[in-house]
């Protein structure tokens, strides 16, 4: 993998980014696509726990959306991660995760991260296990939602990845 471009900017998304995030999610071909409206709302209501990567022209080329769990406010749940197909292979997803968690460790005192990954999504498995390795954190896995819970037809189970502990020293 080559390094992320030097002119890459990681920052909070704004509602004007919602359409681009929806497009990136759609073009990922692996994410469950939510309504375009939900991406607009996400960029308004959860901008503080999400990040967008901007290319040289300021356009979004990747994003990570997340939220702090209401019953575990020091745990970031990463909802979706996507990178524009033309920008993949440059470490942008890793830079997004690193930047977001460093910000949230400093601002919110988060100590853990969670995400769900369907079995066989090797790109996401690598992204999150390498994140844990870089930050000296443990990873545990368990099935969060078995396939039978999904009402809309066949769906793979969602495996919960818990990563932590995260501290200021591990997040940088």
């Amino acid at each position: 993998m080559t390094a992320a471009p030097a002119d890459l900017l990681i920052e909070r998304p704004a509602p004007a980014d919602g359409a681009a995030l929806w497009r990136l999610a759609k073009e990922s071909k692996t994410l469950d696509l939510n309504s375009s409206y939900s991406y607009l709302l996400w960029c308004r209501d959860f901008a503080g726990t999400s990040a967008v990567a901007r290319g040289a022209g300021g356009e979004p080329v990747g994003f990570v959306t997340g939220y702090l769990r209401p019953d575990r406010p020091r745990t970031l749940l990463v909802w979706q991660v996507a990178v524009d197909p033309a920008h993949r292979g440059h470490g942008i997803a890793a830079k997004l995760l690193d930047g977001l968690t460093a910000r949230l460790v400093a601002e919110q005192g988060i100590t853990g991260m969670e995400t769900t990954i369907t079995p066989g999504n090797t790109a996401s498995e690598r992204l999150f296990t390498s994140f844990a390795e870089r930050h000296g954190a443990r990873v545990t896995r368990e099935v969060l939602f078995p396939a039978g819970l999904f009402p809309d037809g066949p769906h793979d189970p969602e495996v919960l990845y818990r990563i932590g502990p995260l501290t200021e020293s591990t997040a940088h």
Side-chain angles (χ1 to χ4, degrees), residues 15-89:
D17 295 319
L21 271 60
W22 178 83
R23 178 189 55 79
L24 290 168
K26 183 178 181 182
E27 291 174 355
S28 76
K29 307 281 192 233
T30 58
L31 294 176
D32 288 337
L33 185 64
N34 299 294
S35 72
S36 59
Y37 179 65
S38 70
Y39 291 91
L40 295 171
L41 281 175
W42 202 283
C43 289
R44 183 193 75 164
D45 294 342
F46 297 105
T49 53
S50 299
V52 64
R54 298 186 189 284
E59 75 287 356
V61 297
F63 74 86
V64 58
T65 54
Y67 63 87
L68 300 182
R69 291 202 37 214
D71 62 337
R72 289 186 176 183
R74 293 178 62 156
T75 299
L76 171 68
L77 185 289
V78 173
W79 180 258
Q80 290 186 319
V81 178
V83 174
D84 185 281
H87 292 85
R88 291 183 187 153

Side-chain angles (χ1 to χ4, degrees), residues 52 76 91 98 100 142 145:
V52 64
L76 171 68
D98 289 347
L100 177 60
E142 65 185 77
F145 299 125

Side-chain angles (χ1 to χ4, degrees), residues 8 12 22 24 28 38 53 65 80 85 87 90 92-93 95-97 99 105 107 110 119 126 134 137 143 145 153 161:
L8 189 72
R12 295 170 196 241
W22 178 83
L24 290 168
S28 76
S38 70
T65 54
Q80 290 186 319
H87 292 85
H90 299 286
I92 293 173
K95 188 167 181 167
L96 278 161
L97 278 181
V105 165
E107 292 176 2
I110 68 164
R126 280 195 306 264
R134 278 193 313 281
V143 173
F145 299 125
Y161 281 58

